[in-house]
């Protein structure tokens, strides 16, 4: 251990020197020490702990009596001791580098004794204020009779939930009357379908100008799916003459990534649209909102006009964003049983004919959230959603029992092979798909074939991680003669790992290497559904993608998935991870894991430290 660490962190140097901390975590502590060399070492420790927490997805470091942890749990080894809470808080309160809310200091300690980096506290409080203000606004006027008469025509497939309520109708009402609306639900419940239909209904009722609609999603592939769904809704409306006049091509909205919508600079550090240069749209509809971190969500709301409608679509039960925050889950609160105000239930009943449960509620945020809970998928997919429900409830025993039912042949649970036998087990399904891909008639067909099956891994590192599995599968395919030597081979699936604005390729985009008479290139589908042909030399950072991490699979759907959990427990394993993995499948799931590891993952719920939920829901 270096002398500098002992100088900066004092008796806590062994804690900070452990493998639980990254160099950047220690560097932040050192920075605050340089800013105040006389400060007790607990200040530098707090900064390092805060940096570590942010890397794990937390927005803040909770130091309140309910959430404070007297020891630092480790991935391996005994927990490490931390300072006594009261003494630590005194150091922070006495430091000139730690401010209260609204102060301009490097660190902020709020009234609930949550410690923040100033930047994240600024984003969180600003977003909370904006969300509350939008929720408080009165709904826009609506001709209830005209609206209600159009609902069966625009939502012909709507089915009532168990309580008899057509929530697609309610979602359309909220989306067309509120400045903020959140449409949630699991896979197959019709979130993007409803969004497309409410937009077309809004166009018919002259509530929405099609030229002033913005469509966006966190990733390129999610934007492409959103574009397809909204395009289908508009095309269907024209086909069935639901609109008074056909839309011109120029009137059709184009789905974009959030970075592109906000005009991000090449390095993503600056944005053209912000509070000083607002987006020119009346409606901003964003899909896969669970993937949006605190910073990006705050930037989005800052850049929208106060009179614009913002519609968020997403599943709050999925994995939270890679960066800090679990914003959609915090906004939704308990989306399964949200309270609604009496004023809202009366207005919604008049416009939709649906009798919502009314309670004595004064917080209007619940009025802005609609959870769709009727699945429109096939029986196989509904059985997958039943499994997802057991996982979501943390009921490992029932989830495993459901998978093991003999009649659920599309749900398979297998024990995990040893690391050296894993590739042999995974090769047959991969080889079968790979042969179909290489024999496809076009890159479009090849991309469709790869979407039929994918291996999803919980881990990135280790023998059960996606990169190692990809390497083993590539070698096995080469040895079997299914592929030729070399990095760029016909049929190779690739995934982009970093946003690249010049090529319009973004983190998570899936492509295929294709060889034909014009040469070898990599093909992707852009958000408008068109093929993009990229020379291999122009491809941004990428990896082979026979197997993906579950995190990278968000926003994608496959006919069949094989989910691989590791042989040992790890902090990343959680019910949200398992839920997200299995719900990427539309028809068939194989879950490969030791039973005790699967059960532990289902029982482990991820909780991210943040003050957003309290800011939105405690003031009731």
């Amino acid at each position: 251990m270096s002398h500098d660490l002992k100088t900066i962190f004092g008796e806590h140097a062994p804690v900070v020197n452990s493998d639980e901390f990254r160099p950047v975590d220690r560097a932040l502590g050192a920075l605050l020490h340089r800013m105040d060399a006389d400060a007790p070492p607990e200040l530098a420790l707090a900064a390092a702990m805060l940096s570590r927490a942010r890397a794990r997805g937390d927005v803040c470091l909770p130091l309140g009596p309910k959430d404070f942890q007297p020891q630092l749990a480790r991935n391996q080894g005994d927990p490490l001791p931390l300072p006594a809470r009261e003494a630590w808080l005194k150091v922070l309160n006495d430091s000139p580098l730690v401010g209260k809310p609204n102060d301009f200091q490097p660190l902020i300690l709020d009234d609930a004794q949550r410690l923040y980096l100033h930047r994240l506290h600024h984003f969180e409080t600003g977003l909370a204020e904006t969300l509350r203000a939008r929720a408080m606004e009165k709904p826009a006027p609506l001709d209830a009779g005209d609206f209600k008469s159009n609902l069966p025509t625009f939502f012909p497939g709507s089915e009532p939930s168990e309580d008899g309520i057509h929530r697609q109708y309610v979602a359309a009402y909220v989306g067309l009357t509120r400045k903020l609306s959140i449409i949630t639900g699991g896979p197959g419940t019709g979130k993007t379908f409803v969004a497309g239909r409410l937009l077309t209904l809004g166009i018919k009722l002259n509530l929405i100008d099609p030229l002033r609609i913005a469509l966006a999603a966190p990733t390129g592939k999610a934007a492409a799916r959103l574009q397809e769904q909204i395009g289908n809704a508009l095309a269907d409306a024209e086909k069935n003459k639901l609109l008074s006049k056909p839309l011109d091509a120029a009137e059709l909205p184009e789905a974009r990534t959030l970075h592109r919508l906000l005009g991000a600079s090449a390095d993503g550090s600056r944005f053209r649209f912000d509070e000083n240069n607002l987006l020119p749209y009346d409606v901003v509809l964003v899909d896969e909102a669970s993937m949006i971190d605190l910073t990006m969500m705050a930037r989005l709301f800052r850049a929208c006009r106060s009179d614009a409608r913002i519609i968020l679509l997403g599943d709050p039960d999925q994995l939270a964003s890679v960066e800090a925050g679990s914003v959609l889950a915090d906004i939704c609160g308990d989306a399964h049983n949200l309270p609604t105000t009496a004023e809202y239930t009366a207005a919604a009943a008049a416009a939709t004919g649906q009798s919502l449960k009314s309670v004595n509620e004064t917080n209007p945020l619940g009025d802005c959230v609609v959870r769709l809970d009727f699945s429109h998928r096939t029986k196989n997919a509904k059985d997958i959603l039943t499994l997802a429900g057991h996982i979501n409830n943390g009921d490992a025993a029932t989830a495993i029992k459901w998978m093991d039912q003999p009649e659920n042949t599309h749900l398979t649970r297998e024990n995990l092979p040893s690391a050296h036998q894993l590739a042999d087990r995974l090769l047959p399904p991969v080889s079968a798909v790979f042969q179909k891909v290489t024999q496809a008639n076009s890159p479009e067909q090849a991309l469709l074939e790869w979407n039929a099956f994918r291996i999803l891994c919980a881990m990135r590192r280790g023998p059960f991680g996606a990169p190692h599995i990809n390497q083993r599968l590539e070698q096995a395919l080469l040895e079997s003669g299914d592929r030729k030597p070399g990095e760029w081979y016909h049929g190779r699936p690739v995934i982009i790992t970093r946003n690249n604005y010049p090529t319009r390729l973004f983190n998570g985009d899936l492509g295929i290497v294709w060889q034909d008479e014009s040469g070898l290139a990599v093909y992707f589908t852009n958000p408008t559904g068109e093929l993009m042909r990229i020379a291999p030399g122009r491809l941004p950072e990428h990896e082979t993608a026979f197997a993906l991490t579950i995190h990278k699979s968000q926003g994608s759907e496959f006919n069949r998935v094989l989910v691989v959990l590791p042989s040992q427990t790890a902090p990343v394993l959680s019910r949200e991870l398992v839920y997200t993995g299995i719900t990427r499948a539309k028809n068939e799931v194989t879950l490969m894991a030791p039973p005790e590891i699967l059960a532990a993952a289902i029982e482990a719920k991820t909780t991210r430290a943040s003050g957003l939920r309290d800011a939105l829901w405690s003031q009731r």
Side-chain angles (χ1 to χ4, degrees):
M1 187 188 310
S2 72
H3 175 75
D4 288 344
L5 278 182
K6 293 181 180 179
T7 302
I8 297 167
F9 297 102
E11 63 182 287
H12 312 295
V15 174
V16 181
N17 195 45
S18 72
D19 55 8
E20 289 295 312
F21 289 81
R22 305 166 300 159
V24 69
D25 303 330
R26 291 186 279 268
L28 183 62
L31 175 62
L32 264 70
H33 174 76
R34 288 197 300 272
M35 295 173 72
D36 184 3
D38 296 327
E42 286 76 16
L43 176 65
L45 175 65
M49 286 282 293
L50 186 54
S51 177
R52 173 184 177 273
R54 182 175 182 269
R56 290 168 171 250
D58 294 325
V59 177
C60 58
L61 179 66
L63 297 174
K66 290 184 178 180
D67 301 316
F68 177 74
Q69 299 295 323
Q71 294 179 314
L72 178 66
R74 306 172 68 183
N75 295 339
Q76 296 180 343
D78 296 332
L80 299 169
L82 294 175
R85 191 180 77 89
E86 293 298 332
W88 205 355
L89 285 171
K90 185 177 187 309
V91 169
L92 296 174
N93 281 313
D94 290 346
S95 173
L97 300 180
V98 181
K100 297 295 183 184
N102 298 321
D103 288 345
F104 190 74
Q105 299 296 341
L107 305 183
I108 299 294
L109 186 66
D110 72 3
D111 295 338
Q113 297 174 327
R114 290 180 288 244
L115 185 68
Y116 292 83
L117 294 171
H118 180 274
R119 179 171 173 270
L120 288 184
H121 184 265
H122 179 66
F123 278 129
E124 184 180 274
T125 54
L127 179 60
E129 289 173 6
T130 302
L131 291 168
R132 287 197 303 266
R134 284 183 172 272
M136 290 290 292
E137 288 200 29
K138 298 293 183 184
L142 185 74
D143 185 327
D146 194 13
F147 178 80
K148 187 192 296 185
S149 67
N150 277 285
L151 288 174
T153 304
F154 278 80
F155 298 91
S158 177
E159 295 285 348
S161 302
E162 291 184 359
D163 57 7
I165 294 173
H166 285 262
R167 281 189 163 74
Q168 289 192 357
Y169 294 178
V170 178
Y173 170 74
V174 173
L176 291 176
T177 60
R178 309 291 306 208
K179 292 294 185 292
L180 169 68
S181 53
I182 301 99
I183 302 174
T184 76
T189 53
K191 297 182 291 294
T192 50
F193 171 83
V194 169
R197 290 307 179 110
L198 78 83
L199 290 180
T200 54
L201 178 56
I203 292 170
K204 175 180 174 62
L205 298 176
N206 295 317
L207 298 173
I208 294 176
D209 180 350
L211 291 172
R212 301 181 73 84
I213 298 172
L215 305 177
T219 66
K221 64 174 181 269
R225 288 185 56 223
L226 177 61
Q227 179 80 49
E228 179 183 12
Q229 292 281 357
I230 301 302
N232 288 343
L234 294 172
D236 187 67
E238 290 192 17
K239 176 182 176 182
N240 293 294
K241 302 187 184 309
L242 300 181
L243 301 178
S244 57
K245 68 178 185 67
L247 295 177
D248 296 331
E251 293 181 292
L252 299 177
E254 177 190 355
R256 291 170 281 183
T257 64
L258 280 172
H259 282 81
R260 187 170 163 231
L261 174 69
L262 297 178
S265 60
D267 62 359
S269 63
R270 299 181 305 282
F271 295 82
R272 176 186 173 193
F273 293 101
D274 56 21
E275 63 270 32
N276 298 314
N277 183 32
L278 300 176
L279 290 165
Y281 302 107
D282 297 335
V283 177
V284 178
L285 189 148
V286 183
D287 198 9
E288 296 291 352
S290 65
M291 298 171 65
I292 306 174
D293 61 87
L294 172 65
T295 299
M296 182 56 73
M297 190 73 83
R299 289 189 187 280
L300 171 67
F301 275 81
R302 275 186 192 178
C304 291
R305 300 195 328 252
S306 61
D307 62 343
R309 295 187 186 96
I310 300 179
I311 303 171
L312 302 179
L313 312 177
D315 183 353
D317 297 323
Q318 279 190 188
L319 281 168
S321 56
V322 174
E323 300 295 331
S326 52
V327 181
L328 183 66
D330 289 341
I331 294 174
C332 289
D334 183 7
H336 297 272
N337 188 28
L338 276 175
T340 55
T341 63
E343 182 181 7
Y344 163 75
T345 51
T352 67
Q354 307 303 303
S355 299
L356 297 172
K357 182 179 179 182
S358 179
V359 296
N360 184 22
E361 175 60 39
T362 58
N363 187 336
L365 186 57
D367 299 349
C368 302
V369 182
V370 181
R371 183 177 181 91
L372 305 176
D373 54 10
F374 184 90
S375 174
H376 298 268
R377 289 184 172 179
T378 63
K379 178 187 181 301
N380 285 5
K382 289 181 179 180
D383 289 343
I384 293 171
L385 292 183
T386 299
L387 173 62
H390 297 320
I391 292 170
N392 230 0
N393 293 330
D395 191 345
T398 304
I400 292 173
K401 183 178 179 181
W402 178 252
M403 291 198 76
D404 292 345
Q405 293 285 337
E407 61 269 24
N408 289 338
T409 56
H410 49 286
L411 303 177
T412 306
R413 185 173 63 87
E414 297 183 12
N415 283 328
L416 184 71
S418 64
H420 72 274
Q421 294 176 324
L422 182 61
D424 294 336
R425 165 62 185 87
L426 298 179
L427 182 60
V430 169
S431 180
V433 175
F434 187 70
Q435 288 183 17
K436 291 181 179 180
V437 169
T438 55
Q439 296 168 8
N441 296 323
S442 66
E444 294 100 324
Q445 184 185 350
L447 285 167
L448 289 174
E449 293 292 353
W450 266 129
N451 284 336
F453 172 76
R454 201 66 61 126
I455 298 168
L456 304 181
C457 303
M459 309 296 290
R460 176 161 179 81
R461 297 178 179 176
F464 301 100
H468 183 78
I469 289 175
N470 280 318
Q471 183 182 22
R472 293 287 306 276
L473 287 173
E474 281 193 310
Q475 183 62 31
L477 286 171
L478 179 63
E479 292 173 354
S480 67
D482 286 334
R483 78 166 180 89
K484 296 180 180 179
E487 179 183 4
W488 298 106
Y489 53 88
H490 182 64
R492 177 193 175 197
V494 297
I495 183 170
I496 300 302
T497 58
R498 185 180 294 274
N499 292 339
N500 184 269
Y501 297 92
T503 59
R504 296 178 66 181
L505 291 173
F506 299 93
N507 190 4
D509 285 351
L510 293 169
I512 186 82
V513 177
W514 190 257
Q515 175 88 50
D516 57 20
E517 62 276 2
S518 61
L520 187 143
V522 189
Y523 287 85
F524 297 84
T525 303
N526 71 11
T528 61
E530 299 172 340
L531 272 185
M532 296 170 56
R533 186 179 191 275
I534 306 293
R538 292 189 62 218
L539 208 63
E541 293 182 33
H542 61 277
E543 297 174 350
T544 299
F546 293 107
L548 307 175
T549 63
I550 294 174
H551 279 86
K552 289 289 187 184
S553 75
Q554 290 186 91
S556 296
E557 287 184 333
F558 309 98
N559 188 44
R560 296 181 296 133
V561 300
L562 193 159
V563 179
V564 179
L565 302 190
S567 58
Q568 296 181 330
T569 188
V572 73
L573 296 182
S574 67
R575 72 181 62 162
E576 292 85 1
L577 187 83
V578 180
Y579 172 92
T580 302
I582 67 161
T583 55
R584 299 310 90 205
K586 293 188 287 185
N587 193 56
E588 188 176 323
V589 171
T590 298
L591 221 166
M592 189 179 287
E596 68 279 8
I597 297 299
L598 175 59
I602 293 173
E603 292 166 0
K605 182 171 177 59
T606 300
T607 302
R608 288 189 165 182
S610 163
L612 183 60
R613 185 176 296 227
D614 284 350
L616 295 175
W617 290 101
S618 64
Q619 301 177 18
R620 299 167 64 176

